[in-house]
Amino acid sequence: MTDFLEQLGDDNLLILTGVIVGLLFGVAAQQSRFCLRAATIEFWHAHLGPKVAIWLLVFSTALVLTQLQFSLGTLSPDSIRQLTGTGSLSGAIVGGLMFGAGMILARGCASRLLVLSATGNMRALTTGLIVTIIAQAAYTGILSPLREWITAWWLISGNVRNLAFYLPNGAPFMVSLLLMAFSILITLRNRLSTKVIGYSVLTGCSIALGWLMTSWHASWSYEIVKIQSVTFTGPSADTLMAVITSPTLPLNFGTGLVPGVFLGSMLASLVTKEFQLEAFTADTGMIRYLIGAPLMGFGGMLAGGCAVGAGVTGGAVLSLTSWTALLFMWLGAGMTDRLIMRTQT
C-alpha cells in the first residue's frame, strides 16, 4: 500500500484527499441543512431550535473526534498551524464581526453558499464568487495592507493559542463529551429526524477526517505535508485564481476540497430531486447580498477562516483565535439581525 501511495505522489494524494473529504462534506451538509447563519438567528431569537441543534451536532462531533485523535496520539498539536503559528486576536475579533454581519445579509456563510450553488441557486453562486474575489484581494491584492494593519493590532503566538494549554490533562476530551451530551439533549428536544441527525454527524466527521488523513499522510511522507482540514475562504480564492490565471490547477488539499464539496452537494440534490434553478427576484433583492459578500470575504480572510474553517475546523483543535472568531461571528450575526428587524418595523 505504501509503495502504491509513493507512486501516486504527494500532490496527487493531497488533491485526492481533498476530494474525498469534500464529497463527504458536500453530501452531508446539503442533506443536513447545516448552516451557522440559521443557527445564530434561532439563538438570538431565544430559541434553541432545530438549526441550533444541527450546528451543535456538527461542531460537537468534529470536536470529540478531533480531540480523540489528540488523546490517541494520531494528531499532534505541534504540527497544526492554528496552534503553533502566530495568530491575530484583533483579526479574529474584527473579522469575526464582519463575517457574522455578512452572512446574515447574504443569507448564508461561505460553505453554505458553495453547497447551495451546487443545487442550482444562482444567488448563492453569484454571492460566493464575490466573497472569493474579495478574499483574494484581502490576501494578496489591494485590500491586503488593510488586512495586515488590523492583524498587527494584537498578535499572539506559541502555546497561548492552544486552549488546551490552560486546561488539565484529559480535560479537553471531557469537555468535548459534555458538549456532545448537550447537543444530543437539544436534538432530542427538537425531535430531529434520524436522517438529519445522521447527516449532521457525518458533516462533523468530515472535519475530523480531514485532520486524520492529512496527519496520516504527513507521518510517512518524505515531503513536508501541511496538516489541515475543511475551510473555504482561502481554498476558494486559490482555486478561482488558479482557474483564471493558470492552465492547470495546483495539486493540493484545498483545490480538491472545493470541487469535491460542489460535486457532493450537486449529487445529493440530484438524487433527492432537490436541484432547482433559483435567481434573484424582487422578493429576495440583491443589494443586501452585494453588501454581505464583501464583508464575508474580507472578514473571513482577516479572521483566519470562515464559519467552518475558523468556527468548526479551528474550533475542533481548540485554537484560541478560532474560538474568538467564532464568538464574534455569533455576535456580529446577532447585531446585524437585530438591526435588520428594526429597519423593517
Side-chain angles (χ1 to χ4, degrees), residues 202-255:
L202 283 175
T203 305
C205 286
S206 69
I207 307 295
L209 181 64
W211 288 122
L212 178 65
M213 294 185 72
T214 55
S215 177
W216 166 77
H217 184 181
S219 69
W220 59 264
S221 176
Y222 292 108
E223 302 295 329
I224 297 176
V225 175
K226 181 181 178 182
I227 298 176
Q228 58 191 313
S229 190
V230 180
T231 187
F232 292 101
T233 310
S236 295
D238 290 341
T239 304
L240 179 63
M241 291 308 296
V243 169
I244 294 173
T245 62
S246 174
T248 59
L249 282 177
L251 302 179
N252 57 49
F253 181 85
T255 51

Side-chain angles (χ1 to χ4, degrees), residues 263-278:
L263 181 59
S265 177
M266 177 177 286
L267 289 173
S269 66
L270 289 172
V271 170
T272 56
K273 298 182 180 179
E274 297 174 1
F275 186 92
Q276 182 179 353
L277 291 176
E278 298 180 47

